[in-house]
Every structure is written in structure tokens, then in C-alpha cells.
Amino acid sequence: MSNPGGIVVPDLQQYSREAVASPFNVVLDDGNRLHALEIVRRVPGKRIVCRGFWGEQAIYAKFFIGSQAGKYAARDRRGSKWLAAAGIATPALLLESSVATQGSQVLLYAAIAADNAEYAWQELDKEARHALSKRLVAEVARHHRAGLLQTDLYLKNFLVDAGTVYTLDGDGIRRERYWGKSRQRLDNLARLISKFDVNAVQAWLPGLLQHYAEILEEDESPDLAAMQQRITRHWQYEMRQYAEKVQRTCSDVVAWHSSRTFTAINRPYDSAGLRHALKSPDLLFSLPEAERLKSGNTCTVAAVQIDQRKLVIKRYNIKSFWHGLGRAWRPSRAVQAWANAFRLQLKGIATPAVTAVLERRVWGVRREAYLLAEFVEARDAVAFFADATLDATARQQVATAVARLFYQLCCLQLEHGDFKATNLLVQSLQPVLIDLDSMKQHGCVKCFRRRHVRDLRRFMKNWQSDEATRHLLSKAFRAVYTDQGLLDKAGIK
């Protein structure tokens, strides 16, 4: 398909679903030409966001695709205009147009020479992150002072430079409802704070709430305990939604069903070699270069090479007819581990990147399942602390990092379920959590606290005969946890 001037019109629907190898050009219906477009974000079948040029002007182009393209383009345009009218910094809307042959509406925004807050956050140390968190809270307070709510509060929807925070994504901007204004605002603020480091929220929260109240010129800051509950609910909802999302095709995952299998691949790892290997996953265990790590009735594990990348493949076996019957109608442990890995990744908890998952099915009944993940070259926690050559500083650093990992799981109400020390690796003095097929997310606080105590006890049991390490870990837990009662119940003195 071509436009006047001989420029080929790309298939925007296809581009929203598949990676594009090189920049492309588009001629809009009004004759304007966009050059050197590169996709920076895609929502399959609905939207792509591109970086490129309109003449000499650096721009971001939002292409809204599909039957509701007009609705979403109008909402994005409206939100952008509300922000600008309120004096809130946001990229200027330069042009509204369309590509009718593609069923697409297009909005062009001026490119801002600034990093998105998510990228900036990853590059900052703890002190600088705290400063950035205050700037973002202040910006949301300004939204609320103008009677606006950003309902899509992800860090990537803000740009930050030395002096300004810019709000992106007009599609997520709503006006406050008259009734329940205070509740709306606090819930919106909690959603933003839930994007910050889990471990840091407890320490930062009083100051952030005070800063928010100062921007709004209120006499009292929001209630601390109530805000913490709101933040926890957002953590829970976000993880649950993401765990479901990665079981279907989305921006992070490509997935497909057939009568015999369900398969999902982490997009950065998608390749012809990996897809070929998934057609006959059992053959991977018998390859000459395969390194068998575990053989058992429940699961079989091996390290293999695919596309010059070392991976671990774990096959969850069906032990008997009755075991198969019990597993037939539930999500496999492989899929549970797959979803849990993304949960941890979302909240910044280190775990090997999962690359693919496959379930075999017979007439809809689940059978064997396979999980592939990055191979991590590291010792487990027992081997690490047993190393007599380690200096005291390294031991202390790892003990503190382990305590912080447990505290993150506690805040998120995640139960590991099998906290043997062999399921905690130590890489570059940082803990890496593995074996996630028993991990559960709890909604009931009372139930979770019992389960978390059990995780703590199981982990500390590994050092019953190593008093020095047990004492070191106990001190680290006591220094990190604000709720000492959990540690008392776990017998951590």
C-alpha cells in the first residue's frame, strides 16, 4: 500500500503486535509527513507511540488504532488540553490528524529533552530517589489542586529534568467528581506512592504526606495508617492484574493456544531458536551439552543452551493417574511460577528472568508443563555463609539484603511457600529468589501473617547448627522489620 509521493504506508495493526526492524515513514491524510518513526510503546491492536520527526521538529506520534480509535484519541486530546489550561507542564499538542486507510487517529506531541521518571529512577541512588519521590508527590498535589486526577499513574508517564516534572498521557486525565473528593485524591496519591521502592515507603511515607499537605495548603497531612492500607491494596491489585496479563499476548509477552498446548514467551527472548526448542522440549534434556541439575518424580531440571544463551528448563512431571487428575483443571505449577516471576520483577525483587512457559493439554486437560528461565551463576545462601574466606562486611551486607527481601515480601503479602536456603541464591552480594511455583499472593492479612512467620521459620532453620550466621541474620531482621511481633512469633531473637 502506498501514499502519494511513493511512501509506503506501514500496516499499523501489524506494527502494534510485532517488533519493527527499522524506522519507517507515514504520510497523514492532511499531507503532513512523519519521518524516521521508531516505536517506543505498543498496545496490541489499539495503540502505538512513536518517536520521530515532523519536518525538523522532534515529535512523539500517538497512533490510535481500531474501532475505538476516535474515542481514545479524543480522550487523550482532552486530557492534554486540561493539563495545559491548568498550567501543569505537559508536552505541547502540535497536530491532530488521521490515516483513514489504517483506521487510525494521530496526535503529534512536541518531544521534551528529559528522561521519563521510570528510567531516571533506575539510575538514581536511594537519596536521589527520595528527592524525586517528593517532586512527583508535589506534581500530583498540583493536579489535585487543579481538580484533575491522573488515573494511569506509572512513573513512565512523567518526564523529569533538573527543574520541571512534565505529565504525559492525557488519556488518563479525569476531572475530580464532586462527591468523595478527598477519598479520590488520597487513593490517587496512594497509587503513585505504590510505584516507589517497597522497602523505602515505610520510611518515606510520613514526610511525603506532609509535603503533599503543604502543596495543597492543608493544615494536616493524611492519616498514615489509612494511607499505608491504601498503598498495600494498590500493590495487591497491580500484581494480580500483571500476573493475569502475562498469561496472554501483551506488550511484554506473546502467547498462543492450540488444542494441545498453551505457550507464552517473554518478548525480549522471542526467537526462532526458542520457538523451535519449544516444539520438542523433552529433547532438550537429552542434548549432549545439557547439564542435568535435578531428576525426580515431581520435576526434572537441566541447564541447556538455546541461541547461545544458557537457560534452565524445568519440567513438571505427572507422577500418576491420580496426580494428573488433581492437576488437570488447575493452572500448572509452571504457569504459577511464570506469573510469580513477573510479580517479583514488577516490584523490583531479583529473580531469574523467565523466558518461556509451555503446558501440554489433551482435550483441554493439563498434562506436563515446562518453564524456561535464565541460568544464574551463583551460590545458594547456605554455601555463601559457609564460606570461611568471606570478610565480615560482605556477610553483613548480604544478611541485610536478605532481611530487606523478606520485608518486601511481607509488605506485598507474598508467601514463598518453600523457603529452603537453596531457593535463595547470592549473586554480587545480592539475594536472588528462585523456585516460585509455590508462591502465593494473600489478600487476607491475618492469614498472610501466619504464612510469613512460617516462611521466616523455614529459612532460619537452615542455620540451626551455625549460631554465628543465625545471630547475624537475626540482627539484620530486627534492624529492618518495623513489626517486631512477626519476628517474635518466628523465634527470631
Side-chain angles (χ1 to χ4, degrees):
M1 184 187 302
S2 298
N3 262 335
I7 295 181
V8 175
V9 179
D11 185 337
L12 297 176
Q13 280 280 1
Q14 180 183 354
Y15 279 19
S16 75
R17 292 183 168 88
E18 299 177 7
V20 181
S22 59
F24 58 97
N25 303 320
V26 171
V27 175
L28 305 180
D29 289 348
D30 58 13
N32 279 284
R33 300 189 178 198
L34 309 182
H35 302 282
L37 295 175
E38 294 181 297
I39 296 175
V40 296
R41 189 183 178 201
R42 57 166 59 86
V43 179
K46 295 182 179 180
R47 183 166 68 252
I48 57 175
V49 181
C50 302
R51 176 177 54 237
F53 291 90
W54 174 41
E56 299 298 318
Q57 169 85 53
I59 54 92
Y60 279 86
K62 286 189 174 182
F63 293 88
F64 298 87
I65 307 163
S67 60
Q68 300 193 70
K71 168 187 172 182
Y72 290 114
R75 203 160 69 182
D76 198 287
R77 179 177 61 247
R78 180 188 65 189
S80 177
K81 290 182 177 179
W82 282 348
L83 290 170
I88 294 171
T90 189
L93 176 59
L94 303 175
L95 181 70
E96 306 167 35
S97 190
S98 61
V99 185
T101 56
Q102 300 280 308
S104 173
Q105 299 291 312
V106 186
L107 300 179
L108 301 191
Y109 289 94
I112 303 293
D115 292 327
N116 76 58
E118 184 175 278
Y119 175 80
W121 189 275
Q122 294 167 356
E123 300 298 310
L124 298 175
D125 59 23
K126 186 175 181 179
E127 185 177 346
R129 286 181 177 184
H130 189 197
L132 177 55
S133 73
K134 292 181 69 175
R135 292 180 67 190
L136 293 171
V137 165
E139 194 63 23
V140 166
R142 294 185 188 99
H143 290 183
H144 295 171
R145 197 167 59 189
L148 300 175
L149 299 172
Q150 168 57 280
T151 60
D152 195 19
L153 273 173
Y154 289 92
L155 297 189
K156 63 188 175 186
N157 281 335
F158 296 94
L159 297 178
V160 292
D161 61 21
T164 308
V165 176
Y166 300 87
T167 300
L168 306 179
D169 195 15
D171 181 59
I173 301 298
R174 302 287 186 274
R175 290 199 182 277
E176 292 177 339
R177 296 189 299 273
Y178 181 78
W179 299 107
K181 183 181 296 185
S182 176
R183 182 190 61 78
Q184 293 174 67
R185 290 180 171 183
L186 293 178
D187 190 65
N188 195 238
L189 177 63
R191 181 174 297 183
L192 172 71
I193 296 175
S194 73
K195 309 304 179 186
F196 302 158
D197 296 339
V198 175
N199 271 326
V201 165
Q202 192 78 20
W204 295 353
L205 191 55
L208 293 177
L209 296 182
Q210 181 62 39
H211 191 51
Y212 173 80
E214 290 170 357
I215 299 296
L216 283 181
E217 299 179 349
E218 295 181 344
D219 295 332
E220 294 185 1
S221 59
D223 181 76
L224 184 63
M227 182 58 71
Q228 183 64 71
Q229 290 177 358
R230 287 187 175 93
I231 292 167
T232 300
R233 284 199 296 270
H234 281 295
W235 282 335
Q236 291 272 298
Y237 176 79
E238 185 182 23
M239 289 190 299
R240 190 175 296 111
Q241 290 292 103
Y242 195 48
E244 293 174 0
K245 175 182 174 181
V246 296
Q247 295 179 53
R248 61 180 186 270
T249 295
C250 61
S251 55
D252 296 325
V253 169
V254 56
W256 62 94
H257 294 259
S258 73
S259 59
R260 295 179 177 273
T261 62
F262 161 71
T263 308
I265 296 176
N266 197 340
R267 281 191 185 272
Y269 298 88
D270 193 5
S271 68
L274 181 58
R275 291 189 178 221
H276 178 74
L278 289 172
K279 291 180 180 179
S280 304
D282 289 316
L283 293 180
L284 295 173
F285 293 94
S286 57
L287 293 174
E289 64 271 21
E291 177 187 352
R292 187 65 64 95
L293 303 177
K294 180 179 179 181
S295 297
N297 289 333
T298 303
C299 62
T300 306
V301 185
V304 297
Q305 291 279 345
I306 300 177
D307 293 334
Q308 288 75 54
R309 178 182 280 122
K310 192 171 185 180
L311 302 177
V312 172
I313 179 169
K314 187 172 186 178
R315 181 180 63 208
Y316 293 86
N317 302 319
I318 300 299
K319 296 186 290 185
S320 65
F321 170 80
W322 296 110
H323 180 237
L325 187 63
R327 300 297 318 179
W329 310 109
R330 293 180 288 165
S332 67
R333 293 172 67 197
V335 168
Q336 289 173 338
W338 167 266
N340 284 327
F342 280 99
R343 276 189 175 98
L344 297 187
Q345 174 190 312
L346 180 68
K347 304 316 297 180
I349 298 175
T351 191
V354 286
T355 60
V357 66
L358 182 146
E359 281 184 345
R360 280 185 172 155
R361 297 176 179 181
V362 179
W363 300 107
V365 176
R366 292 176 175 86
R367 297 292 297 169
E368 296 84 6
Y370 305 79
L371 180 71
L372 283 88
E374 285 275 20
F375 181 88
V376 175
E377 193 71 57
R379 295 181 289 181
D380 64 50
V382 169
F384 176 86
F385 283 112
D387 186 350
T389 65
L390 281 176
D391 60 45
T393 302
R395 291 170 62 85
Q396 180 63 62
Q397 181 177 334
V398 172
T400 300
V402 168
R404 286 175 177 161
L405 181 147
F406 268 87
Y407 185 64
Q408 282 180 287
L409 296 176
C410 181
C411 291
L412 297 169
Q413 294 181 195
L414 291 175
E415 172 201 0
H416 184 273
D418 187 18
F419 236 126
K420 302 189 294 285
T422 51
N423 286 333
L424 192 67
L425 307 180
V426 179
Q427 183 183 50
S428 302
L429 300 184
Q430 292 298 317
V432 179
L433 194 56
I434 64 171
D435 203 4
L436 308 179
D437 46 66
S438 297
M439 178 173 279
K440 294 178 182 176
Q441 178 181 329
H442 290 271
C444 172
V445 176
K446 186 176 180 180
C447 177
F448 168 73
R449 287 172 66 88
R450 290 197 302 268
R451 296 291 187 168
H452 188 65
V453 166
R454 189 171 74 170
D455 271 350
L456 287 166
R457 284 176 177 162
R458 179 66 186 91
F459 183 72
M460 294 302 289
K461 187 178 179 181
N462 293 279
W463 289 279
Q464 283 182 327
S465 59
D466 184 354
E467 186 59 34
T469 299
R470 185 176 180 86
H471 179 67
L472 179 68
L473 288 167
S474 296
K475 284 183 62 179
F477 278 111
R478 287 285 175 182
V480 168
Y481 272 63
T482 57
D483 187 348
Q484 303 285 299
L486 283 171
L487 302 181
D488 292 337
K489 290 178 180 178
I492 299 176
K493 305 299 184 183

